[in-house]
């Protein structure tokens, strides 16, 4: 939790309580349904919650902004972002039903009223969003291909509608296959921990 307060020192009490609750809810659920590697659950805040909140360093959305979290797994980045931005809407999608079950139960425990869930894939989603967000779900060109129909053509934020994804490793080959405006931001620009030295935020304007 210290990592979050280091980079987000002005969180109101309700948000602090919800982020603190994640530190109990995820380990408890992970014992029943494995959504985070058991070797990595001890790094919940830095490797998963803070990593998700890197998107909150990139953009400050206006009230009512709609996000689709594609391949959310156990709820990342959607649930941390839904806590951070209670005036925005989040639709979390995953093909694995048990992962949606965990994410849904955690959102319910937190009393998050700005989150909805879908067990399935993007092709079954009819929702239009301002931004598609994801964490290392698939190659970027494939993500653009399956997401473009779900991005609204009416922008209301300073940063135009598009895809915001969190990735690691050598991204040059897949970035080169995308013929759209791209921003590639090292997460070391936002966070000083060693874990983020090889992580990037990728924004694609659609």
């Amino acid at each position: 939790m210290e990592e979050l307060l280091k980079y987000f020192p002005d969180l109101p009490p309700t948000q602090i309580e919800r982020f603190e609750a994640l530190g109990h809810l995820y380990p408890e659920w992970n014992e029943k349904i494995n959504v985070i590697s058991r070797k990595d659950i001890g790094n919940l805040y830095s490797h998963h919650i803070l990593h998700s909140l890197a998107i909150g360093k990139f953009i400050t959305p206006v009230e009512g902004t709609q996000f689709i979290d594609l391949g959310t797994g156990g709820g990342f980045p959607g649930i941390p972002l839904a806590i951070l931005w209670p005036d925005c809407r989040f639709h979390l999608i995953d093909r694995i039903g048990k992962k949606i079950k965990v994410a849904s139960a955690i959102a319910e425990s937190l009393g998050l009223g700005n989150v909805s869930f879908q067990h399935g894939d993007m092709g079954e989603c009819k929702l239009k969003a301002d931004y598609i967000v994801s964490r290392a779900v698939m190659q970027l060109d494939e993500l653009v291909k399956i997401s473009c129909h779900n991005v609204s053509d009416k922008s209301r934020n300073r940063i135009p509608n598009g895809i915001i994804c969190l990735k690691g490793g050598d991204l040059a080959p897949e970035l080169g296959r995308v013929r759209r405006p791209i921003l590639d931001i090292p997460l070391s620009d936002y966070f000083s921990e060693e874990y983020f030295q090889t992580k990037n935020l990728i924004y694609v304007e659609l």
Side-chain angles (χ1 to χ4, degrees):
M1 189 63 194
E2 295 82 6
E3 300 98 324
L4 266 65
L5 295 176
K6 175 182 176 181
Y7 295 106
F8 296 88
D10 300 321
L11 293 172
T14 300
Q15 291 182 13
I16 291 174
E17 289 174 9
R18 283 172 165 167
F19 280 123
E20 286 177 338
L22 294 182
H24 305 291
L25 290 167
Y26 272 107
E28 288 173 5
W29 271 103
N30 216 53
E31 287 296 318
K32 306 171 193 173
I33 299 173
N34 188 226
V35 294
I36 296 172
S37 166
R38 290 194 167 89
K39 294 180 180 179
D40 202 34
I41 193 67
N43 298 310
L44 173 67
Y45 279 100
S46 58
H47 291 189
H48 300 277
I49 299 173
L50 187 60
H51 188 210
S52 297
L53 293 178
I55 294 172
K57 291 293 187 182
F58 174 68
I59 186 173
T60 303
V62 300
E63 181 178 348
T65 297
Q66 175 75 57
F67 293 84
I68 294 175
D69 177 3
L70 179 58
T72 189
F76 301 104
I79 286 179
L81 292 175
I83 296 173
L84 184 66
W85 297 322
D87 293 329
C88 298
R89 296 286 309 174
F90 294 83
H91 185 64
L92 280 55
I93 302 174
D94 203 278
R95 290 178 175 176
I96 300 176
K98 63 182 181 180
K99 292 186 176 182
I100 285 291
K101 176 183 177 180
V102 172
S104 179
I106 287 174
E108 184 177 356
S109 295
L110 296 173
L112 289 178
N114 59 335
V115 184
S116 56
F117 298 89
Q118 177 185 328
H119 174 209
D121 58 36
M122 197 65 159
E124 299 166 331
C125 179
K126 306 304 180 186
L127 188 67
K128 292 283 188 178
D130 299 277
Y131 301 103
I132 311 296
V133 296
S134 74
R135 285 209 318 161
V137 170
M138 62 184 69
Q139 293 286 299
L140 190 61
D141 55 330
E142 287 298 313
L143 185 58
V144 169
K145 182 179 178 181
I146 69 169
S147 300
C148 59
H149 301 297
N150 293 88
V151 175
S152 172
D153 57 3
K154 298 178 181 178
S155 287
R156 49 183 155 180
N157 289 279
R158 182 179 60 83
I159 295 174
N161 293 358
I163 294 170
I164 307 171
C165 58
L166 300 166
K167 285 180 165 284
D170 181 12
L171 300 175
E174 60 181 289
L175 294 186
R177 295 194 295 270
V178 177
R179 300 289 181 255
R180 292 178 182 269
I182 293 177
L183 282 178
D184 179 2
I185 302 171
L187 292 195
S188 57
D189 287 3
Y190 301 144
F191 308 133
S192 61
E193 286 76 8
E194 183 178 354
Y195 174 77
F196 297 106
Q197 296 301 309
T198 58
K199 307 297 182 185
N200 295 64
L201 181 148
I202 308 298
Y203 162 73
V204 183
E205 182 178 343
L206 293 181

